[in-house]
Amino acid sequence: MSDDRSAGPDHGSTSGSWPYTQEPVPPGGGSDLHTVALNQPTTPQPTNPQRAAPNPGPGPGVRADPRRQSFTQSSTDSTLRRLAVVARILWLSAGAALCAAAIVGLFVGVGEVELLIVLGAGVVLAIMPAIVDRIRSMKAGHFEIQLIEQIADNARKSAEMLRRLGMEHELDAYATIYTEMRGAELTEVRGAMLDRIVQRVSNASAVEKFDRGEVKDMFTLGSPIVRVLALGLMEGDLSLIDSEVLVEALKRPLTGNEHYHALKLVLGGWGHFSAAERAKLKDAIDSNQQIQYGPGRRELAERIRKL
């Protein structure tokens, strides 16, 4: 599982066209995504008022009853509110049941992976009402996570390939949930959620050929989560590995996840590097003392040092 802990005080290089350095990355990895404000289309108005169709109003002999209309609207609103309450109860009940099952699993010898999956699903269901409330509190169209659009900013062909594979809505949904999970108690769940996103793009690069230059641009110019996804594409196709990218990710990672996946790539792609590149990668590992904050990172670094 990836390590979602903070990468430490290093916040990465700000050279080049880096569009996400305006806000500092808070402890715990920070917000890896940005919200996109969409321009709301307005209803076109007739250019010639004389040609505008008049409002016919009620037909002959028909009188609109405002009290009846008000009653119908009130009844509809009341039904929607009841359905929302029922859905909230079902979400919370299912989440609590899964969390309880995970606790019981601790005492019956269930595997750690299974426990984490059940616990993660329970937490997601439990916090889903809060996520829905937050989305509803925003104006329509002003809160939309578009992960593929972020990728397209610097890697158009790669974004189109992911769309063609039918991954756009799935990745956006995972990214929305990942972004909404805040607090130290959700660190492991956030890590598991990002692992899922990285695994999906890794699977995509295993079956489709991505452009090596675009993948490098995704890392160099992308937001923190897009940088991690660029590393995920390299994991699926080791021919995409770039030693300069990995040196940067090892020396100045923006998140603990980025640091973890860079170490994972160095270990998995060791045979793809020249002797000089291997020396630079080991120096980059030793130069970043923030590696001590992640047990997963420490283990990978020790394995690499023994190569």
Side-chain angles (χ1 to χ4, degrees), residues 148 159-171 200:
I148 301 297
E160 289 302 321
M161 197 172 297
L162 292 171
R163 283 194 181 101
R164 193 163 60 249
L165 292 171
M167 297 174 59
E168 180 171 13
H169 296 300
E170 179 186 4
L171 292 180
R200 292 294 287 126

Side-chain angles (χ1 to χ4, degrees), residues 65-104:
D65 187 347
R67 290 177 298 178
R68 185 170 185 174
Q69 292 177 348
S70 177
F71 174 79
T72 302
Q73 182 64 38
S74 176
S75 177
T76 301
D77 292 342
S78 177
T79 300
L80 291 176
R81 282 195 298 269
R82 285 197 297 269
L83 290 175
V85 171
V86 171
R88 184 181 295 268
I89 292 173
L90 290 176
W91 274 335
L92 293 175
S93 299
L98 288 175
C99 290
I103 294 174
V104 172

Side-chain angles (χ1 to χ4, degrees), residues 132-183:
V132 173
D133 288 343
R134 176 167 177 178
I135 293 176
R136 285 178 175 174
S137 68
M138 306 270 181
K139 291 183 179 180
H142 284 264
F143 180 80
E144 185 173 350
I145 302 222
Q146 296 178 316
L147 189 53
I148 301 297
E149 290 298 325
Q150 291 188 40
I151 295 174
D153 288 341
N154 304 299
R156 181 179 55 82
K157 291 187 294 184
S158 299
E160 289 302 321
M161 197 172 297
L162 292 171
R163 283 194 181 101
R164 193 163 60 249
L165 292 171
M167 297 174 59
E168 180 171 13
H169 296 300
E170 179 186 4
L171 292 180
D172 288 352
Y174 279 126
T176 300
I177 297 173
Y178 173 76
T179 304
E180 291 301 314
M181 290 181 175
R182 293 297 169 208

Side-chain angles (χ1 to χ4, degrees), residues 246-293:
L246 294 182
V247 167
E248 178 68 17
L250 292 170
K251 283 187 174 182
R252 288 171 286 273
L254 297 188
T255 63
N257 275 307
E258 178 184 322
H259 202 182
Y260 174 87
H261 284 283
L263 288 163
K264 185 178 177 182
L265 269 170
V266 171
L267 183 61
W270 191 250
H272 290 256
F273 304 117
S274 65
E277 288 174 329
R278 291 174 180 178
K280 288 182 181 179
L281 290 167
K282 284 189 174 182
D283 288 342
I285 292 173
D286 294 334
S287 68
N288 189 348
Q289 299 304 313
Q290 306 305 324
I291 202 170
Q292 62 183 314
Y293 292 111

Side-chain angles (χ1 to χ4, degrees), residues 173-300:
Y174 279 126
T176 300
I177 297 173
Y178 173 76
T179 304
E180 291 301 314
M181 290 181 175
R182 293 297 169 208
E185 71 280 4
L186 296 176
T187 295
E188 295 298 331
V189 181
R190 276 171 55 85
M193 190 61 63
L194 187 56
D195 276 346
R196 177 62 177 168
I197 301 175
V198 173
Q199 185 60 54
R200 292 294 287 126
V201 298
S202 178
N203 292 344
S205 66
V207 298
E208 294 283 352
K209 186 61 181 176
F210 285 76
D211 182 84
R212 192 168 185 265
E214 279 201 350
V215 174
K216 183 175 182 178
D217 287 342
M218 282 173 58
F219 179 87
T220 305
L221 306 174
S223 64
I225 193 172
V226 173
R227 284 164 67 102
V228 177
L229 294 188
L231 298 179
L233 288 172
M234 294 181 191
E235 289 178 14
D237 181 2
L238 295 180
S239 69
L240 299 174
I241 286 181
D242 187 292
S243 62
E244 293 180 1
V245 165
L246 294 182
V247 167
E248 178 68 17
L250 292 170
K251 283 187 174 182
R252 288 171 286 273
L254 297 188
T255 63
N257 275 307
E258 178 184 322
H259 202 182
Y260 174 87
H261 284 283
L263 288 163
K264 185 178 177 182
L265 269 170
V266 171
L267 183 61
W270 191 250
H272 290 256
F273 304 117
S274 65
E277 288 174 329
R278 291 174 180 178
K280 288 182 181 179
L281 290 167
K282 284 189 174 182
D283 288 342
I285 292 173
D286 294 334
S287 68
N288 189 348
Q289 299 304 313
Q290 306 305 324
I291 202 170
Q292 62 183 314
Y293 292 111
R297 286 179 270 172
R298 286 199 305 270
E299 179 184 353
L300 288 172

Side-chain angles (χ1 to χ4, degrees), residues 1 93-106 110-126 181 189 192:
M1 173 168 296
S93 299
L98 288 175
C99 290
I103 294 174
V104 172
L106 291 173
V110 178
E112 181 179 347
V113 175
E114 290 79 4
L115 282 177
L116 185 57
I117 292 174
V118 173
L119 180 60
V123 172
V124 169
L125 288 173
M181 290 181 175
V189 181

